[in-house]
């Protein structure tokens, strides 16, 4: 007899898109470097001169980093966390004592009040000591209770919860469900109004920090009724509330110390005063929180790149093959060059985006998304190259290496730990679509009604007139620009010449915009289904953003007398490597197997190739693909384990 499965909430593709579009922040009140880049406008003035933090922020940030480094070196035992799959209570107690739970919380609530720049530097540092500890702190502050309350909470909510989050309480963010991932229109957890409370019922999956949390941010659907607008709504929920059961502590291929679980809500009463924002605003709150919250992942990715570079340098200088260090063999040297140049670029992207977030003079929703996308993809590649450089030792565990008398380098662990970043907080595929939607926003604003099948002929006529005016002004500007003048960006020529790379970015941004316009003209309403094309468009934009950030950072370091010559060399190497990737992506815009791939996929789903699966056994066993999440009381003992209990 097969296991029961949860009845699925049926939502059409159009309905799902409408929910996502309604939650998207649609206004552009401030300039955006990345948005302009996708429109073919290289606005170097928005990022150069490189923005800098004020002296007081630097002083407080550096003081905390020094304390955190000492704590990481003396108290965090990464090998123990990996071995026991737990973060020891004394580590969490020490982090609380340091104030690390409140890095981004205002001092008036007991926090440290660090800038986004120094918060990310702290995450990179602690994440290098233990990625699981980095994930704990990031989930607590970047997407847990503090950030949405900071942006959308009432004063009463801030007074009640922020002091707890700053010093004592761990928080978690609960959105995903067993059958709901990046499609929140099908959210099944409900919050039914009952007097001055809401009653929550449902099951949440992959609740990072959920096993140990004291406070939860929960997304639930409020039914529409008299006096209630309804819709997806955010709540602060006490994790110890009656009716909450942590049914399972999940285990993963990496991040073995992460406290991630399955949480069931059965008739859980939540005061209406704990609702964040109005009913129906939950998804917008979640997405807005992630605009800067996403920077925590590239922070830890940049830190991982630094560690990969250190190990690659030390090992490849020590290990000899055929009479010389392996680093001097070109096949290995190319990998080391890639790691060094890419680490420089990732830190450039991270610091630039973080400082722009602190200054709040630019809209960085696309920059933060690009940083997350690019950082997670490139960090994974760097870790993979490190494993290859280390050879058999890269595949061997640190514990095994140490047991036989060698340095316990956890190269295979970092590969496993980093893999989740391509899925966490928006998978690479979802990030491609999210960024692509923002990248074509200007086009849809003027021409969207032209390709909307539900619009009337008069609406389409008005849209056509507006589009004609917009494109008559915009298209001629894509023909020529500063990138074609040999003297442009001459301020980036100091020994090594970076001006040519910036001219390339300017020319290529215009080419990217022309390609996007051509695709919209060609496919019109079907453009949204061309996910392969849109992904490549976004990847080109990510490379151009990283090239720009790398050049601007190199010039900043040169001007400040901080390794300027070396920074210029690294920026030059990165830009040359990136240009090769960009040209490949442009080639694949129009020469690819996308159409054939769709045919093959349909045949696979139709069972046409099942003969190809013969000759193996499947160790998966039986059971449903998606666990039953029918609302009701839990039949399990709770696996909740607050730190210190």
């Amino acid at each position: 007899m097969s296991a029961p499965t949860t009845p699925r909430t049926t939502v059409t593709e159009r309905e799902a898109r409408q929910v996502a579009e309604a939650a998207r922040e649609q206004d552009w009140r401030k300039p955006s470097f990345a948005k302009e880049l996708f429109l073919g406008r290289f606005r170097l003035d928005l990022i150069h001169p490189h923005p800098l933090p004020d002296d007081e922020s630097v002083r407080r940030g550096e003081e905390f980093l020094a304390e955190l480094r000492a704590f990481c070196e003396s108290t965090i035992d990464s090998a123990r966390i990996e071995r026991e799959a737990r973060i020891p209570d004394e580590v969490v107690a020490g982090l609380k004592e340091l104030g690390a739970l409140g890095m981004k919380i205002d001092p008036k609530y007991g926090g440290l009040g660090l800038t986004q720049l120094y918060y990310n530097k702290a995450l990179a540092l602690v994440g290098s000591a233990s990625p699981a500890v980095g994930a704990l702190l990031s989930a607590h502050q970047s997407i847990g209770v503090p950030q949405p309350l900071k942006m959308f909470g009432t004063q009463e909510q801030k007074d009640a919860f922020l002091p707890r989050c700053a010093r004592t309480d761990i928080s978690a963010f609960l959105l995903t469900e067993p059958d709901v991932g990046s499609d929140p229109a099908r959210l099944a957890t409900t919050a039914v109004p009952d007097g001055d409370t809401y009653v929550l019922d449902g099951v949440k999956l992959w609740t990072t920090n959920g096993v140990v949390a004291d406070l939860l941010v929960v997304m639930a659907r409020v039914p529409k009724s008299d006096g209630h607008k309804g819709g997806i709504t955010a709540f602060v929920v006490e994790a110890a509330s009656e009716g909450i059961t942590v049914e399972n502590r999940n285990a993963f291929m990496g991040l073995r110390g992460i406290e991630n679980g399955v949480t069931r809500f059965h008739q859980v009463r939540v005061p209406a005063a704990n609702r964040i924002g109005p009913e129906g605003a939950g998804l917008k709150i979640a997405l807005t929180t992630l605009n800067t919250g996403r920077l925590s992942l590239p922070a830890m990715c940049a830190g991982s790149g630094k560690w990969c570079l250190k190990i690659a340098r030390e090992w490849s200088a020590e290990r000899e093959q055929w009479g010389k260090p392996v680093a001097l063999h070109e096949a290995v040297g190319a990998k080391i060059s890639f790691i060094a140049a890419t680490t420089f670029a990732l830190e450039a992207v991270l610091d630039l985006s973080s400082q722009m977030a602190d200054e709040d003079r630019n809209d960085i929703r696309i920059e933060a998304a690009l940083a997350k996308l690019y950082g997670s993809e490139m960090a994974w590649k760097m870790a993979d190259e490190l494993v290859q450089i280390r050879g058999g030792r890269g595949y061997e565990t640190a514990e095994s290496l140490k047991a036989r008398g060698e340095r316990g380098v956890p190269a295979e662990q970092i590969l496993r730990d980093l893999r989740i970043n391509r899925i966490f907080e928006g998978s690479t595929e979802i990030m491609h679509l999210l960024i692509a939607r923002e990248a074509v926003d200007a086009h849809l604003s003027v021409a969207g009604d032209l390709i909307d099948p539900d619009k009337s002929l008069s609406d389409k006529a008005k849209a056509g007139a507006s589009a004609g005016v917009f494109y008559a002004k915009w298209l001629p500007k894509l023909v020529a620009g500063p990138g074609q003048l040999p003297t442009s960006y001459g301020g980036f020529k100091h020994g090594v010449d970076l001006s040519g790379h910036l001219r390339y970015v300017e020319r290529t941004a215009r080419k990217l915009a022309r390609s996007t316009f051509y695709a919209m003209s060609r496919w019109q309403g079907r453009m949204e289904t061309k996910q392969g094309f849109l992904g490549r468009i976004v990847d080109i934009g990510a490379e151009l953003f990283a090239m720009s950030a790398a050049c601007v950072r190199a010039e900043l370091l040169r001007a400040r007398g901080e390794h300027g010559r070396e920074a210029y060399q690294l920026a030059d190497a990165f830009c040359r490597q990136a240009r090769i990737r960009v040209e490949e992506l442009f080639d694949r815009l129009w020469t690819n197997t996308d159409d054939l791939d769709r045919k093959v996929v349909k045949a696979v789903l139709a069972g046409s190739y099942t003969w190809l699966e013969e000759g193996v056994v499947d160790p998966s066993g039986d059971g449903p693909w998606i666990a039953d999440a029918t609302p009701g009381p839990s039949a399990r003992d709770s696996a909740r384990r607050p730190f210190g209990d």
Side-chain angles (χ1 to χ4, degrees), residues 514-524 527 533 590:
R514 293 195 301 268
S515 298
T516 304
F517 173 74
Y518 173 69
M520 289 194 67
S521 302
R522 175 180 176 181
W523 291 315
Q524 298 184 28
M527 178 78 160
F533 178 90
W590 313 110

Side-chain angles (χ1 to χ4, degrees), residues 66-94:
E67 294 177 7
L68 184 62
R69 173 177 288 277
F71 176 81
C72 290
E73 292 175 341
S74 65
T75 309
I76 297 180
D77 184 345
S78 182
R80 178 186 173 188
I81 294 172
E82 176 72 4
R83 183 172 61 254
E84 297 179 357
R86 301 273 187 190
I87 299 172
D89 287 0
E90 59 267 26
V91 170
V92 178

